[in-house]
Amino acid sequence: PNGDGVNDNWVVGSLADVYPEALVVIYDRFGKELIRFRGEDANGWDGTYLGRKMPATDYWYEIWIDEIRKKYVGHFTLINE
């Protein structure tokens, strides 16, 4: 996130349209929960925790979709410019 309006937030594609009630949880590398939000939250995650920018590193996510009783897990790399 560098404030240019391009990829400034981590958002899961069309999750808001298909599964607006899906629960998204993001963790740091130590397993600390940083944020949780619903699929309908088009803002996603802005790379901050308690108002502070998080370091450029890997983060993990869980997406629970109750409608299909499925959990997706994975990771992504946050890049700060």
Side-chain angles (χ1 to χ4, degrees):
N2 62 3
D4 68 356
V6 179
N7 294 325
D8 284 337
N9 289 12
W10 186 83
V11 180
V12 182
S14 59
L15 191 64
D17 298 327
V18 182
Y19 297 111
E21 294 299 313
L23 177 63
V24 180
V25 184
I26 298 177
Y27 303 92
D28 69 8
R29 64 183 175 158
F30 303 108
K32 179 179 181 178
E33 183 179 317
L34 302 177
I35 189 171
R36 63 177 46 216
F37 57 91
R38 294 283 177 192
E40 63 194 358
D41 182 3
N43 293 328
W45 184 49
D46 64 358
T48 64
Y49 177 68
L50 298 177
R52 293 183 7 224
K53 287 185 179 181
M54 296 303 293
T57 188
D58 289 340
Y59 293 87
W60 282 258
Y61 64 85
E62 292 180 343
I63 303 171
W64 172 252
I65 303 174
D66 196 44
E67 293 93 334
I68 60 173
R69 310 280 308 153
K70 185 148 176 121
K71 182 189 330 187
Y72 294 90
V73 296
H75 66 90
F76 62 94
T77 303
L78 177 69
I79 300 172
N80 292 325
E81 293 183 8

